[in-house]
Structures are given as C-alpha cells and as structure tokens.
C-alpha cells in the first residue's frame, strides 16, 4: 500500500507505506496495530515541514527502503565524508543540497523521528 504525506503548504507526496513508517511520527499516526501490513493507511499531515523539504525527505525514505544506509563504523575509518559514507546515493543526497536545506532536512528528520 501507499500513503500520502502532506506538507505545511498542503502539497501531498505519495510513497510506499513501508518507507513512510521509517518515520516514527508517521507510524504513530496510524491506527492499525500491525503497521507493516496496514492496507488502508491514512494520509499524514507533516505540519512543520515545507513542501520542498518534505519532497527530499520522501526521496530519502523511498531510497532507504530499497538500499538502506550502511552502518557507519566508529571509530571512523576516514576523516572525509566520502571516506565514511560509502554509498553513492547518500553522498550525492547530502552534497546536492545547500546548507539551509540541509538544516531543514535535519530538523524535519528530528520532527518526524527518522533515525536512519
């Protein structure tokens, strides 16, 4: 099944339910007890996240469902971002946004309780 996340500006973004529940906020907003098999998930309003940012969050969640971020080992194996984050998508994802958007993404991930 799919679900729609609705931004502060009332734009909606559809994604697989399994990707959306990587967000504890979305997961807790659903009434179904067996979250991974919810056949009719309700749309979820993400009132503190603007459309442009929520679109990037949805992109991340969808990709993460297909290719989870590999564990970053500590102590760090390298002192560069590229040396620590091995997967190309995640390197490009972070490098492809400006500093204000990166801050917004971190804030959105915090609000949405996305730990990955």
């Amino acid at each position: 099944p799919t679900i729609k996340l609705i931004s502060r500006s009332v734009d909606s973004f559809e994604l697989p339910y399994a990707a959306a529940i990587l967000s504890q906020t979305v997961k807790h907003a659903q009434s179904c007890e067996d979250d991974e098999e919810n056949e009719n998930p309700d749309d979820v309003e993400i009132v503190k996240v603007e459309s442009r940012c929520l679109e990037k969050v949805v992109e991340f969640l969808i990709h993460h469902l297909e290719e989870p971020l590999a564990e970053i080992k500590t102590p760090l194996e390298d002192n560069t971002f590229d040396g620590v984050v091995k997967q190309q998508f995640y390197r490009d994802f972070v490098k492809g946004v400006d500093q204000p958007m990166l801050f917004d993404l971190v804030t959105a991930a915090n609000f949405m309780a996305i730990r990955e």
Side-chain angles (χ1 to χ4, degrees), residues 37-101:
E37 295 183 18
N38 190 348
E39 293 179 18
N40 298 307
D42 298 324
D43 295 349
V44 177
E45 293 182 10
I46 310 295
V47 296
K48 293 191 176 188
V49 181
E50 291 293 343
S51 294
R52 186 171 160 251
C53 183
L54 187 57
E55 182 176 26
K56 293 296 286 181
V57 170
V58 167
E59 176 188 351
F60 177 90
L61 292 173
I62 290 170
H63 187 83
H64 188 278
L65 181 64
E66 297 167 2
E67 180 194 12
L69 178 62
E71 180 180 350
I72 296 174
K73 298 175 185 173
T74 55
L76 297 177
E77 297 174 346
D78 198 327
N79 61 354
T80 66
F81 180 73
D82 287 347
V84 173
V85 178
K86 306 292 186 196
Q87 294 156 288
Q88 190 66 42
F89 170 84
Y90 296 103
R91 290 196 308 247
D92 292 346
F93 186 84
V94 171
K95 291 177 180 179
V97 297
D98 57 22
Q99 284 295 105
M101 175 58 86

Side-chain angles (χ1 to χ4, degrees), residues 21-51:
I21 61 171
L22 291 170
S23 162
Q24 294 300 305
T25 301
V26 172
K27 189 173 184 176
H28 292 305
Q30 300 302 302
S31 58
C32 182
E33 289 190 21
D34 189 2
D35 291 313
E36 292 185 16
E37 295 183 18
N38 190 348
E39 293 179 18
N40 298 307
D42 298 324
D43 295 349
V44 177
E45 293 182 10
I46 310 295
V47 296
K48 293 191 176 188
V49 181
E50 291 293 343
S51 294

